[in-house]
Amino acid sequence: EYMGDLTSVRFKMAETVKRIVMDKVVNPVKDVFKQGVPAEKIAQSLMWGLYCGCFPVPGVTSVVGFGVSWALSLNVVVAIAANYAATPLNLATFLLFIRYGEYLFGLEALAISTEAFSADFFGALRTFGRSIAAGVVFWVLLAPFVVLPLQRLCLYLIRAVDTRGKAQ
């Protein structure tokens, strides 16, 4: 009986995650797609949104995503949806960017965690400022090598499924 309850909980969680992803990511991108936004702009917006979602300062990825979207004249809805979808990537990569930045600048690797930011965001920025700045520099330097190839792949995939203007 306990396993049945656990299966039910897992199913409900999976349904909740699916609903959130559909509401916050898939449906907004579909809506923009239906409005006739060029595939190139959608691909750019998706990839920059995803990459900004991996910004090495937890808690500010949406601000960075909005700023980059505005600066590059991207579709903000698509970029922010992709940014939102990248939250698990942010948690998995923010420390990698910081570590590589520390290595790049010859800094000592400090014990950084998301808990430090949750407990006292500005205190964590003060404590880990140099390491975070190094991680941000590494993130910026890596951007063209990550975003541009993935943008081309994304554009290829979008064009493969794009039925706008094609005979049905």
Side-chain angles (χ1 to χ4, degrees), residues 104-119:
L104 183 67
F105 290 99
L107 300 174
E108 178 184 346
L110 300 178
I112 301 173
S113 68
T114 54
E115 290 80 21
F117 288 90
S118 298

Side-chain angles (χ1 to χ4, degrees), residues 27-95:
N27 291 337
V29 173
K30 276 182 166 179
D31 291 343
V32 168
F33 198 72
K34 289 176 187 174
Q35 294 170 5
V37 174
E40 293 82 4
K41 189 62 75 175
I42 293 173
Q44 284 178 317
S45 302
L46 279 170
M47 289 306 102
W48 278 107
L50 281 172
Y51 194 69
C52 290
C54 296
F55 189 72
V57 183
V60 298
T61 62
S62 294
V63 174
V64 173
F66 180 80
V68 168
S69 298
W70 180 77
L72 297 177
S73 299
L74 302 176
N75 185 289
V76 175
V77 171
V78 173
I80 295 301
N83 186 287
Y84 183 82
T87 299
L89 285 173
N90 178 250
L91 298 175
T93 62
F94 91 97
L95 196 54

